[in-house]
Amino acid sequence: MVMNNRYNPLEIEAKWQKQWERSQNFLVTHRDHRPKYYVLEMFPYPSGRIHMGHVRNYSIGDVVARLKRMQGFNVIHPMGWDAFGLPAENAAIKNRTHPAKWTYENISYMKAELRKLGYSYDWTRELATCHPGYYKWEQLFFLRFMEKGLVYRKKAPVNWCPECLTVLANEQVEAGVCWRCDSVVEKKELAQWFLRITSYAEELLECLDSLSHGWPERVIAMQKNWIGKSTGMEIDFQVEGLNRKIRVFTTRHDTLFGATFMSLAPEHELVQELIKDSPDREGIIGFIDNVTRMDRISRTSENLEKEGCFTGKYCLNPVNGERMPIFIANFVLVEYGTGAVMAVPAHDQRDLEFARKYDLPVKVVVQPEDISLQADMETAYSGAGTMVNSGQFDGMFSENFKEAIADYLEHEGLGKRTVNFRLRDWNISRQRFWGAPIPIIYCEKCGPVPVPEKDLPVILPQDARMPEDGRSPLPELESFLNVSCPVCGGVGRRETDTMDTFVESSWYFARFTDARNDNQPFDKEAARYWLPVDQYIGGIEHAILHLLYSRFFVKALRDLGYLDIDEPFSNLLTQGMVLKDGAKMSKSKGNVVDPDEMINKFGADTVRLFCLFASPPEKDLEWSDSAIEGAFRFLNRLWRLVMELLPELRPTGPCAVLDQDFLSEGEKSLRTKEHESIQKITRDMIDKFQFNTAIAGAMELVNAIYQSKDELGDSPNRCEVLSSAISSVLTVLSPITPHVCEELWTRLGYDYPLSQSSWPRHDDRALLRDEVLVVIQVNGRLRSKMSVPADISREELRRLALNDEKTLKHIQGGDIIKTVIIPQKLVNIVVKNR
RNA sequence: GCGAGAGUGGCGGAAUUGGCAGACGCACUGGACUUAGGAUCCAGCGGGAUAACCGUGGGGGUUCGACUCCCCCCUCUCGCACCA
């Protein structure tokens, strides 16, 4: 048969994929004596086709899964579909069909693509988040969250994407534009459902420390930044002539004596009352309108000139009673702190600019040591120093004064120490159809009422027709809307908003532990055994969004008694992007490389090999058509090597036990290379996930075998040494290129599959060489090399080095000051010229 | 501005963490085998008059010895950014 001679990837790949499926090798249960290992890749949105980014992501994950299996772990490696989302609705409108149809068709196509790549998934755990059997439990969690006070409904100005026709959470607005479609986000006043993620702000921040070993530093930094904890005080300022107080949040209460005016956000709740009888009311309202109409990008731009207008009212500084004019300022944000800022122009640059513009007083209260600050300063001083102009506190160090004034204000009831977070509650209402319905019924009498647990799931109607204009059909779908109130039996109407799709991805990793459970979200025992995820792999784009939401969900589910872990993902690998011609692949740029095409041309093993070899996992990978041919060439080379030697090879196993003393020089040298390679590859693969260098190591070993097979001639242990080395190559490459390795392994005569073999262990004794190459330097410069017995004494090595011909040339005419000797490595002779 | 990361041949990338800079691969050059080669094999491949020497973004320093450690500077990528 032809296939006996030539490497035919498509044929052997189909064969082994069938074989693995039949043997059910990758199916696991939690009733197992082995230690568990949970490896998970971020599940895909079923957009239609797998792209190279997926291939890279899932290839890395599959290597980890196969590797850990070979190391003796009970490995769970599931795959599923993040199946709710807007593209399905758009496609449904276009094709005049239901989003479910498009979604399930995509899933089945993409699943076939994944199968062709030979990934070792436990497909019995497959899930699609759009299936009622999945989102039923999500709706249950919503009810549980509600009971716990973790869900509330609030009318608030929210982020509205005019393109997606729905609201967005704060995390989903990036620099003022929609994360999905880049439209400029607008503000809209709507009643929405919120998850109280802020209750966990402190813990979400603190636990980041426990992740510092397993997570990339920059992801941790981004999350810290997003949570944005700052410690300070809330202080009340009495409004003059009005029975009102303005509460500010400040981290610089040490500068309180220097506060000379007050700045309010234009949206601040007191503004309308303050300007009620102002003679310039019209002008002020005009100013407010101008500011609030601005989009978020320009409003929060640092270049925006600081502007404001005087309300005509004053408030009183609580510590010195000074009158402070109250301004409305364009740079004060209503959503941060209390929406009001005590302005201390001497010690805050923004306040200083504002004060100069409106000719407001500047009062220095913190005096630095080196220079003497004057009120006519050009830049504000924000450091520490000695208190001045601060009454009886003058002379204190500002950092100490901070505590003193805090005590004083708390004692007088004028303020209190607080912690402020940048993190806001998570708005999960979406005005979309293709999402999990929020299980709420609005009753005319009882108000919003939770759907009783026994009525779950609230199923997304199958008969919905998508309106052409892109809106959700739910608000007009009578069959869905009409329902009686579960409390009073009166007329009720269902909530028509669906949940943010990030809710589904916040707990899917837990559902994987028991994906077919019809009675509960997952069995507690199964979850306890499998969770947390030991290795999570995905793109950096979810550094905040998905990873923060999932962390919150796990903590909330823990407190509800469902889970007993604190964090979902112990280790996180953020893989780099796949680029072509230096840019991210995209249809518009026309630089897309289709995985299917590559698999058909070279086979899955080559595609996998290239993805792992071209670059370390965290770095971006530049696609190269000629480099993937190189990967294909290597597999052909490996194939030919085994085919050529096949008649004389035996299934000795990798790192076969051989008595060193009976080996010839050449045999010993190949054996040493084999064991060195195993050592290096093990270190690279297992300890560092550096598959690119591991593959390089395997290539070196293949090169060495090619050389040895000719050099060894008919030496007595030729068969054993070659068989062992080749078995080793196949074993260590098998997580990366499983099909070709299994095929060659079988042809070698093994009667058990590689996928059920153990990872090889090198023998330290095999690493010992009789002769080692030692480098000779003179004054740190390489001058000569020589091969010496490995156990040579230092003195003997020194003597040999000093008598080396090439070395002597560079020593002549100088005095030898000293020699540095690193055994088995180098000799450095330090010479000083006479 | 703040935070994280990077800078090494023509290219992707290595370097046991202070000890032969450029592993492995791509591209390229020469040769062999060939009707043919875009298959395969062998050899070469940082620069340089193939000699000295110079070379890991630049400049200093520590050291017998620095891609690696310390100080200063430059460039690039990503994230956050009027956060009170």
Side-chain angles (χ1 to χ4, degrees):
Chain A
M1 259 200 328
V2 181
M3 77 165 276
N4 279 330
N5 305 322
R6 264 199 37 227
Y7 173 44
N8 185 339
L10 296 187
E11 203 166 316
I12 63 175
E13 285 172 8
K15 169 184 160 186
W16 284 101
Q17 282 157 22
K18 237 177 265 165
Q19 181 71 36
W20 291 326
E21 210 168 315
R22 238 194 339 261
S23 66
Q24 308 203 326
N25 274 359
F26 309 127
L27 274 45
V28 286
T29 76
H30 64 278
R31 302 184 207 287
D32 196 293
H33 62 279
R34 290 171 296 173
K36 69 95 183 180
Y37 192 90
Y38 190 166
V39 54
L40 183 67
E41 301 105 57
M42 291 181 185
F43 66 163
Y45 177 77
S47 56
R49 295 176 80 87
I50 293 290
H51 57 71
M52 266 313 164
H54 293 128
V55 174
R56 186 175 191 206
N57 190 172
Y58 303 154
S59 296
I60 294 168
D62 198 48
V63 174
V64 174
R66 289 176 180 270
L67 192 59
K68 290 291 163 182
R69 252 179 233 121
M70 295 178 90
Q71 280 185 276
F73 289 93
N74 186 28
V75 174
I76 185 173
H77 186 214
M79 180 45 75
W81 310 94
D82 189 12
F84 273 138
L86 201 46
E89 290 187 56
N90 294 334
I93 293 167
K94 207 171 135 199
N95 307 323
R96 297 178 170 276
T97 165
H98 194 275
K101 185 170 181 287
W102 183 83
T103 302
Y104 282 112
E105 279 170 7
N106 286 348
I107 286 175
S108 99
Y109 188 86
M110 289 169 78
K111 187 174 173 183
E113 287 185 295
L114 291 183
R115 283 180 186 278
K116 276 201 285 181
L117 281 154
Y119 297 136
S120 60
Y121 297 125
D122 179 348
W123 281 111
T124 63
R125 294 169 187 271
E126 180 184 10
L127 60 83
T129 57
C130 64
H131 193 280
Y134 182 82
Y135 65 70
K136 170 182 178 176
W137 305 117
E138 190 166 310
Q139 291 171 336
L140 177 70
F141 290 151
F142 182 91
L143 301 181
R144 294 274 181 272
F145 278 28
M146 208 165 174
E147 289 159 13
K148 260 254 164 171
L150 287 172
V151 169
Y152 64 95
R153 189 166 185 263
K154 184 180 77 173
K155 191 167 186 181
V158 292
N159 310 302
W160 177 263
C161 175
E163 180 71 26
C164 301
L165 297 174
T166 185
V167 303
L168 302 169
N170 292 344
E171 290 78 12
Q172 294 153 23
V173 181
E174 292 164 357
V177 303
C178 172
W179 69 289
R180 192 191 294 110
C181 70
D182 287 342
S183 310
V184 174
V185 167
E186 299 164 1
K187 282 283 170 202
K188 208 165 174 173
E189 189 89 9
L190 284 173
Q192 303 278 283
W193 291 98
F194 289 84
L195 296 191
R196 215 180 284 278
I197 189 171
T198 53
S199 316
Y200 288 91
E202 192 72 61
E203 202 197 331
L204 285 166
L205 185 68
E206 268 172 22
C207 285
L208 286 173
D209 290 334
S210 71
L211 298 174
S212 60
H213 297 290
W215 282 38
E217 221 178 318
R218 64 172 171 151
V219 175
I220 291 180
M222 283 163 78
Q223 293 218 353
K224 273 193 181 153
N225 201 336
W226 186 262
I227 295 168
K229 178 181 178 176
S230 52
T231 329
M233 290 197 82
E234 285 182 353
I235 303 172
D236 290 336
F237 290 68
Q238 184 66 47
V239 179
E240 197 182 51
L242 210 62
N243 190 22
R244 292 287 183 192
K245 281 177 182 160
I246 296 172
R247 177 167 290 181
V248 303
F249 172 74
T250 180
T251 54
R252 291 300 307 273
H253 35 281
D254 54 323
T255 62
L256 180 54
F257 280 89
T260 55
F261 60 99
M262 175 68 68
S263 307
L264 301 183
E267 299 91 343
H268 192 277
E269 54 178 7
L270 236 48
V271 164
Q272 293 308 322
E273 192 175 344
L274 290 173
I275 64 170
K276 202 169 52 194
D277 44 9
S278 163
D280 187 29
R281 192 162 169 272
E282 294 302 311
I284 300 173
I285 288 176
F287 170 78
I288 294 173
D289 279 354
N290 274 339
V291 178
T292 50
R293 260 208 312 270
M294 290 177 83
D295 61 69
R296 209 187 122 89
I297 314 171
S298 22
R299 171 107 181 249
T300 56
S301 148
E302 212 166 348
N303 304 328
L304 181 71
E305 191 175 343
K306 283 154 196 51
E307 285 184 324
C309 65
F310 180 43
T311 58
K313 290 279 191 292
Y314 292 81
C315 62
L316 300 173
N317 190 321
V319 283
N320 57 19
E322 280 175 19
R323 293 177 84 217
M324 297 163 53
I326 304 171
F327 278 76
I328 298 164
N330 63 349
F331 63 89
V332 180
L333 308 170
V334 71
E335 62 265 26
Y336 187 80
T338 59
V341 182
M342 69 174 205
V344 187
H347 305 292
D348 182 289
Q349 189 58 28
R350 291 158 303 178
D351 294 343
L352 184 65
E353 284 170 36
F354 198 87
R356 292 292 181 237
K357 180 157 180 166
Y358 297 102
D359 206 19
L360 295 158
V362 175
K363 187 175 161 196
V364 174
V365 289
V366 178
Q367 199 59 259
E369 272 177 27
D370 40 356
I371 43 158
S372 174
L373 283 183
Q374 302 297 327
D376 60 355
M377 61 180 78
E378 276 171 23
T379 45
Y381 174 73
S382 58
T386 307
M387 300 312 303
V388 294
N389 293 325
S390 298
Q392 72 267 38
F393 300 103
D394 280 1
M396 265 182 108
F397 182 57
S398 59
E399 290 302 309
N400 300 333
F401 171 60
K402 233 172 172 169
E403 294 308 313
I405 189 75
D407 288 342
Y408 169 80
L409 291 170
E410 285 188 338
H411 185 259
E412 298 295 314
L414 298 167
K416 66 171 203 287
R417 289 178 168 91
T418 43
V419 173
N420 192 59
F421 290 95
R422 212 184 77 119
L423 181 72
R424 304 283 90 186
D425 279 335
W426 177 13
N427 176 354
I428 57 152
S429 296
R430 294 292 176 274
Q431 292 68 51
R432 301 303 331 164
F433 171 72
W434 195 231
I438 295 173
I440 290 289
I441 293 165
Y442 296 97
C443 170
E444 286 171 2
K445 268 190 264 160
C446 314
V449 178
V451 172
E453 206 179 309
K454 63 174 174 52
D455 294 341
L456 295 182
V458 176
I459 293 185
L460 211 49
Q462 289 295 310
D463 56 353
R465 273 220 209 99
M466 307 302 296
E468 292 284 322
D469 60 7
R471 285 175 306 110
S472 166
L474 290 180
E476 278 129 50
L477 199 64
E478 296 296 324
S479 59
F480 176 78
L481 282 174
N482 298 327
V483 62
S484 55
C485 170
V487 177
C488 70
V491 177
R493 188 178 54 80
R494 282 196 195 280
E495 168 65 81
T496 57
D497 282 354
T498 54
M499 287 192 243
D500 182 1
T501 58
F502 279 104
V503 179
E504 283 89 77
S505 52
S506 294
W507 68 282
Y508 77 110
F509 44 88
R511 177 70 178 171
F512 273 140
T513 66
D514 191 17
R516 292 290 170 270
N517 199 322
D518 290 333
N519 305 314
Q520 50 182 335
F522 40 80
D523 175 64
K524 249 198 116 167
E525 277 310 306
R528 180 175 294 149
Y529 176 78
W530 289 117
L531 292 173
V533 173
D534 295 281
Q535 184 63 58
Y536 198 35
I537 306 164
I540 185 77
E541 65 273 17
H542 288 112
I544 303 212
L545 294 160
H546 161 56
L547 292 170
L548 187 66
Y549 294 144
S550 298
R551 295 183 59 224
F552 156 62
F553 240 75
V554 160
K555 290 173 194 304
L557 291 179
R558 174 201 61 197
D559 293 345
L560 286 166
Y562 285 99
L563 296 173
D564 49 15
I565 50 168
D566 296 319
E567 286 288 334
F569 314 118
S570 305
N571 295 285
L572 173 69
L573 193 156
T574 49
Q575 107 263 4
M577 289 188 299
V578 181
L579 310 176
K580 178 82 196 289
D581 310 320
K584 192 177 171 177
M585 289 185 186
S586 74
K587 272 185 204 154
S588 56
K589 288 196 200 85
N591 60 350
V592 178
V593 178
D594 179 24
D596 276 356
E597 203 180 299
M598 291 297 130
I599 294 168
N600 288 333
K601 197 166 168 192
F602 301 112
D605 281 334
T606 294
V607 176
R608 294 169 59 125
L609 179 66
F610 173 75
C611 282
L612 293 158
F613 180 58
S615 162
E618 320 77 43
K619 284 183 73 172
D620 287 349
L621 181 153
E622 174 71 28
W623 186 267
S624 155
D625 289 328
S626 53
I628 191 172
E629 286 187 42
F632 185 57
R633 211 149 43 216
F634 170 71
L635 292 184
N636 274 286
R637 192 166 144 80
L638 174 66
W639 181 271
R640 283 197 309 273
L641 176 66
V642 179
M643 283 304 139
E644 182 196 328
L645 297 176
L646 203 52
E648 52 174 317
L649 295 178
R650 292 211 318 264
T652 57
C655 298
V657 180
L658 291 167
D659 193 333
Q660 296 250 77
D661 299 339
F662 292 105
L663 299 184
S664 71
E665 278 307 304
E667 290 165 354
K668 217 183 281 182
S669 145
L670 177 60
R671 187 169 137 87
T672 301
K673 181 70 187 175
E674 178 193 354
H675 285 252
E676 277 174 353
S677 300
I678 296 295
Q679 186 185 40
K680 176 202 161 53
I681 293 166
T682 303
R683 199 168 43 222
D684 288 354
M685 296 256 269
I686 294 171
D687 302 344
K688 300 194 282 189
F689 286 164
Q690 273 189 21
F691 308 117
N692 57 329
T693 51
I695 293 165
M699 287 171 165
E700 276 190 57
L701 181 53
V702 168
N703 291 343
I705 299 172
Y706 259 98
Q707 215 178 354
S708 293
K709 78 178 166 65
D710 297 333
E711 285 171 5
L712 282 177
D714 55 357
S715 77
N717 300 293
R718 172 188 168 90
C719 159
E720 284 76 14
V721 176
L722 288 174
S723 297
S724 175
I726 286 176
S727 298
S728 284
V729 170
L730 296 178
T731 310
V732 297
L733 279 178
S734 70
I736 296 162
T737 56
H739 313 85
V740 66
C741 291
E742 286 278 21
E743 178 65 25
L744 293 173
W745 180 260
T746 305
R747 291 186 184 217
L748 236 58
Y750 291 96
D751 56 4
Y752 58 97
L754 253 182
S755 58
Q756 286 176 342
S757 304
S758 316
W759 190 256
R761 296 184 90 92
H762 76 274
D763 181 349
D764 278 333
R765 285 167 305 177
L767 301 179
L768 301 174
R769 292 175 183 275
D770 300 338
E771 295 252 306
V772 289
L773 194 68
V774 168
V775 165
I776 305 176
Q777 299 181 332
V778 177
N779 290 337
R781 307 170 98 114
L782 176 69
R783 293 305 182 193
S784 181
K785 296 176 189 180
M786 54 187 194
S787 187
V788 299
D791 57 355
I792 193 172
S793 71
R794 295 170 73 97
E795 281 63 41
E796 184 62 10
L797 181 57
R798 186 201 315 268
R799 199 186 59 76
L800 281 177
L802 288 171
N803 286 310
D804 179 76
E805 213 178 304
K806 286 188 214 152
T807 313
L808 278 172
K809 260 193 281 180
H810 293 92
I811 303 177
Q812 272 165 13
D815 293 328
I816 296 172
I817 299 194
K818 71 169 172 177
T819 48
V820 180
I821 295 174
I822 312 290
Q824 314 220 358
K825 277 252 167 75
L826 103 169
V827 177
N828 187 14
I829 302 160
V830 186
V831 174
K832 194 175 176 187
N833 280 331
R834 273 197 285 263

